[in-house]
Amino acid sequence: MDRNFELPDPSDWHDTSLSKLERLDNALRCQVCKDFFDTPMITSCSHTFCSLCIRRCFASDGKCPACRASDQDSKLRRNWAVQELVDAFKEARPTTLKLARQAESGQAERSMSRKALKRKLEDTDIEDEHHENIARRSKVRTTRSQTKRANATATSSQEVIDLDTAPESDQDYQPDDGLVACPICNKRMKEEAVFQHLERCDEEMEEEKNGKVQSRSTTKKPSTSLDPQSNQHARPPPARISQLNYSLLNETQLRKKIKESGIPNWGPRQLLQRRHIEWVNLWNSNCDSSKPRSKRELLQELDTWERSQGGNAPGGFNPSGTVSTSSVMRKDFDGAGWAKNNQNQFSQLIAEARKKRNKPPSEEEKKDVRHSNINGDVTSRTPDNSHSLQPSLFESSQLSPSLVPADKSFSDSSIDPARPYENNGVALASIRSKVTNINDQSSQSRDPPHSELPSSSQRSRGKSPTVLPKELASPPSRKIPMFRVPEEPLKDLDGAGTGTSESSLMG
Amino acid sequence: MSSSAVASKRLFHEYRTLTNDPPEGITAGPVNEDDLFLWEALIQGPEGTPFEGGLFPAELKFPKDYPLAPPKMKFTCDIWHPNVYPSGDVCISILHPPGDDPNHYEHASERWSPIQSVEKILISVMSMLAEPNDESPANVDAARMWRERRSEYEKIVRENVRKGLGL
């Protein structure tokens, strides 16, 4: 994906002839994600956010981000009016912006007839919709109804308006009513309703034949499904699920519950809990959506989460604040940078090790110790992080894959999560090469006299002083009496905070 | 959309807004556009304070679950201030999540919330430079000096400003 892609932003209106639209643009955005509202929900304190954003906020601290009033997700209500505003604005935005950017001649404004606007829209589709369509089309299992849904996306905002005036039970062909026909029985209904209707379509036709349709509750009539609100009562979408009372469950029970909900149940307890919270948020916000997605798509989202913040996260999000071990396994792991950043610590460890020994061990001896440690670590980690390597192939950059979750996720859905390395020669090879790299680096970083250490210790003597003193850094240092050793490194420890590698440890 | 995509997108939005419409005396942006989770910022010393004329570089690190959790901010220059740790880490209520308040002095309304932004953080830090909060000193020595020997405090600050400008 292009790094410099245009992300619609309120500041787009800056310095155009319609700069006052900046406020409108801003007002139609969720203040949590700064994007246009996606399935806006209103809190009991009357603030509106995207469904997923506010659910994540509530899961994190149970407070409204705007006014900090305590609230809970069960009290959220949909805000259809805002949804319509957003849909309409998004539709008109590209053309309006283009016009606003052009010279402010009256000519340009007059040409903005409704027709021109509509035609433009087809060309300059809004990005999000575009991705949605791609994601839908590229699904492995595409039903006819889903294709229709994707095609109908562009007109979805119209439908909502048309719904109230839609005829009760319309069997006639009406191409412009914004509804779609059931591929089996040809009944026309709102696109969202088709998917649910499909499951019961056969059943209903059967009943109709048997004349039983009258005795069935009215909820089965397709006409009622035309109204979004009554649709909710009539045929509720997949029911919302609630958070578990995590503290009451032991790990085995939690693992079992999580397995029952159909999401991966590997990893330590804390990860299980976080994963389940994320899943509940994804699931429930999908229930709120007027265009709900399939469970499969939600699972893909969860997988993306896993790779950015969960158990397969690349070297960042870890409750303990340390770099997660899986990052070392990544293909693009910056070994040299790691060695450099941790040079201070390495040097300290070396100094300490030397202090403990009256006589320093031979170079060979130490190398062996270190090698066996590293090898042991790597092999013991491998099973725990069985997912980490594979996804890293898609994460060579932070931004692009995360902005296109759909693309990314379906492309690796073919991999058997249980044994990601099988038949994967590349991965195996890279593991091996990494092990040798690490070994090389560790021997380099212990072999400082010729290159980095002396120079860096000179350069930053005042500023980041935990660098090994010169005497220690060079091999002859071992002949220096040991009582001289402790002074400098110990004295300098206080100032360690100025070194960048320490920053994460300092509150 | 995964959370981290939300974080990247949101950071991108903030970056755009700060570039197109920067507040006075503040410049900020990602160090490298490949990694939106590490920013650098330049803050001008507020006028009428001993920090006047100074230019203070800082580093902002964003968590993957931003904006649920606040970023960490750290000055990368010498700065003598009651609310800045000797390491450069900034201690200010807007950077503290509402959940933990070990000191019980901060109002929840001043703390981090997902609707806060980089811009608001930097503006708060700018006003913090002008008006230290000595209830919660991060640098106890600086706080005491600020309370008891204001002229000495101001002298150190001015010296640092000069040093920072390479004078």
Side-chain angles (χ1 to χ4, degrees), chain B residues 30-41:
Chain B
V31 176
N32 175 343
E33 291 201 5
D34 289 339
D35 180 10
L36 287 168
F37 291 87
L38 181 64
W39 284 35
E40 59 187 358

Side-chain angles (χ1 to χ4, degrees), chain A residues 3 9 12 65 301 309 402, chain B residues 1 3 5 13 16 34 113:
Chain A
R3 180 126 318 158
D9 190 82
D12 290 341
E301 291 257 312
Q309 293 191 60
S402 54
Chain B
M1 185 81 46
S3 312
H13 273 301
R16 294 254 337 243
D34 289 339
S113 138

